Amino acid sequence: MTCSLIFAAAGFCLAATNCSNGNKTSDTPPALSFETTSKTLEVGETYRPTLRIRHDGDANDTAYDMDGNPLGVTFRSSSPQTVSVNARGIVTGRNVGTATVTAETAETASGDARCAIGITVRSSNTTWIDAPLSDGIIFSRFVQLPANTVMQGFDVDSRGEIFYTQVTDRYKILVSRSMPDRQATEYMTLCFHGHSSNMAVEEAGDERFVWVGNYANRVDDGNYWHEQVVSRIRYNPGSTHYPWNSDENYFIEAGCLNMNPAVDAANDQLAILYTRVDTPGRYCWVVYSLSEAKALPEETVTLQPLSYGGETESYPLRKDVTPEVRVRNLSRLQPLARFSIPTPAIAWQGYEIHDGRMYLMEGTSGNNDGTTGEAYMTVYDFEGRIVQSRTKVRAVSDLKALTEAGITESGYIESEGVKIRRGKLFLGFASQSKKDGNRRRANIFQYELP
């Protein structure tokens, strides 16, 4: 057969010259297509996509004889280490990731015929978070933080020190630091910044910089949400920091709210989660080169109107302002990735980026009634496709084990953050114990990445 075809992204092929398949000839060549344009496999799973053919004048297409292969169709994968395909068109998922499998005729002087199917491979190995609770999983337990409120986020540096964020008095974020299993006593205070639902700590020699949302709006209940920038703030215990004290602010574009950062310093990546009023029901992510973002020149932008104050002697009255802020404008950069997903079905409790993947934590808290909270992890690629389906974290569902470990006997345990550092995945959990007067405590579990 000789054909000249134009490849369409949806997986269909459009022909333009004479064709012959040995059984039927026509001045107009047949069109080839895969029966489906996408497929998800587990690692090790095999699949044979159905190739279809429609000759000129035929009302319908028919299944192509892939065993007899009268047109001499060959198959190739865009990423053989992720998805392999043999001469008979049988596809095998090799490693987590995505690839395109293309079917095409042997090239002739007149061109070739081709169509494609997108394959996503996810891992069926969930043992890394399906393990029962054990001392080996517990990195830090039952830590008292400066305020009696739940931790909101955390990070672990190269020295093993844990940085925590928690909200108190609705308008203050306390950023504290301690070694595992040690009470956190030193902290800095961030006023009017937001909720710190996700934070990151970047190391620069002996200094530590906290990445957190900033320029939040005081809503009717007195809490602060809708952060419009991300700030990089030097960790300085004992200090009090206001939005306008930030030396480094990062801005995406007008309309981006609830901004929450993650940093993958090893891969030079900065990610920001945000929402937009004009895209309801979606969580959006954008990923940039961290070094390129930090190298941007500053410029002044005008933020959306916001309110703050009314809680302290320094700011006794609520103020309505339209801030002009010096920022590094990330819209000047070409993103490494940009994607969105539907709003999670369960409350999101933090996310992390690592090696081109986004790890999303969801969870519930339990009600101190003997029923534990639940935690789930879903892993996405940087196109928003699921590569690890939602998996339950088994360790927080065993009340007997949690009680024996001294974490909670009432069942109150709530997911609060996820981090990946040095080949380990760390999960944060807030807990309470009736024996401790129901004081909020912080716990960090650790898992080896697969």
Side-chain angles (χ1 to χ4, degrees), residues 98-350:
T98 58
T100 299
V101 171
T102 302
E104 58 189 350
T105 64
E107 292 190 356
T108 70
S110 299
D112 65 350
R114 136 180 347 132
C115 53
I117 179 173
I119 304 291
T120 298
V121 183
R122 63 188 185 188
S123 174
S124 59
N125 177 14
T126 60
T127 56
W128 53 294
I129 55 174
D130 191 39
L133 186 65
S134 66
D135 285 341
I137 284 176
I138 301 172
F139 179 71
S140 179
R141 82 181 82 193
F142 214 57
V143 170
Q144 181 176 326
L145 301 183
N148 188 23
T149 59
V150 298
M151 61 183 286
Q152 294 294 330
F154 76 96
D155 206 343
V156 182
D157 73 5
S158 60
R159 295 185 296 220
E161 290 184 314
I162 307 171
F163 291 76
Y164 303 93
T165 58
Q166 57 180 155
V167 175
T168 183
D169 298 328
R170 295 182 177 171
Y171 73 98
K172 293 188 294 188
I173 298 171
L174 305 187
V175 184
S176 57
R177 176 174 65 180
S178 74
M179 293 301 293
D181 300 328
R182 302 286 181 86
Q183 180 178 348
T185 55
E186 66 162 46
Y187 63 91
M188 68 181 297
T189 303
L190 311 180
C191 297
F192 314 137
H193 281 61
H195 207 71
S196 67
S197 299
N198 216 76
M199 59 86 77
V201 171
E202 179 193 2
E203 302 186 30
D206 289 334
E207 289 191 308
R208 300 294 182 264
F209 290 86
V210 178
W211 290 78
V212 67
N214 197 355
Y215 281 94
N217 180 46
R218 178 179 170 173
V219 297
D220 290 342
D221 66 1
N223 286 299
Y224 284 76
W225 298 96
H226 309 154
E227 300 93 332
Q228 297 185 59
V229 305
V230 163
S231 295
R232 179 177 181 261
I233 302 167
R234 179 180 284 103
Y235 180 69
N236 183 15
S239 66
T240 298
H241 192 279
Y242 294 93
W244 45 89
N245 298 141
S246 297
D247 294 328
E248 290 185 41
N249 299 307
Y250 295 81
F251 176 79
I252 301 175
E253 59 189 6
C256 295
L257 303 174
N258 298 308
M259 292 173 60
N260 284 278
V263 172
D264 181 1
N267 290 300
D268 189 37
Q269 291 180 348
L270 165 67
I272 300 176
L273 162 65
Y274 63 95
T275 60
R276 293 187 63 96
V277 175
D278 57 5
T279 55
R282 306 288 297 183
Y283 277 18
C284 307
W285 277 267
V286 61
V287 183
Y288 300 98
S289 161
L290 176 62
S291 57
E292 288 181 3
K294 291 164 65 175
L296 282 169
E298 285 192 328
E299 59 185 88
T300 299
V301 300
T302 301
L303 303 183
Q304 294 179 204
L306 59 85
S307 298
Y308 73 92
E311 304 93 348
T312 71
E313 292 183 2
S314 299
Y315 296 93
L317 299 178
R318 180 168 175 167
K319 295 185 178 182
D320 298 318
V321 297
T322 303
E324 291 189 351
V325 182
R326 298 289 288 172
V327 301
R328 288 168 168 82
N329 192 338
L330 296 170
S331 68
R332 310 299 183 196
L333 299 178
Q334 179 65 38
L336 302 175
R338 195 163 206 156
F339 61 95
S340 67
I341 65 171
T343 301
I346 306 170
W348 85 280
Q349 301 289 358

Side-chain angles (χ1 to χ4, degrees), residues 39 41-42 45 47 76-86 90-102 117-122:
K39 178 70 175 178
L41 303 177
E42 304 286 350
E45 184 180 359
Y47 167 67
R76 58 183 172 84
S77 170
S78 64
S79 178
Q81 68 270 27
T82 303
V83 174
S84 64
V85 59
N86 66 15
I90 297 174
V91 172
T92 301
R94 298 297 181 186
N95 289 289
V96 171
T98 58
T100 299
V101 171
T102 302
I117 179 173
I119 304 291
T120 298
V121 183
R122 63 188 185 188

Side-chain angles (χ1 to χ4, degrees), residues 7-38:
F7 171 58
F12 295 96
C13 306
L14 305 176
T17 62
N18 293 340
C19 295
S20 171
N21 65 4
N23 298 317
K24 186 171 183 175
T25 61
S26 171
D27 290 337
T28 301
L32 297 176
S33 65
F34 280 117
E35 194 168 62
T36 183
T37 59
S38 64

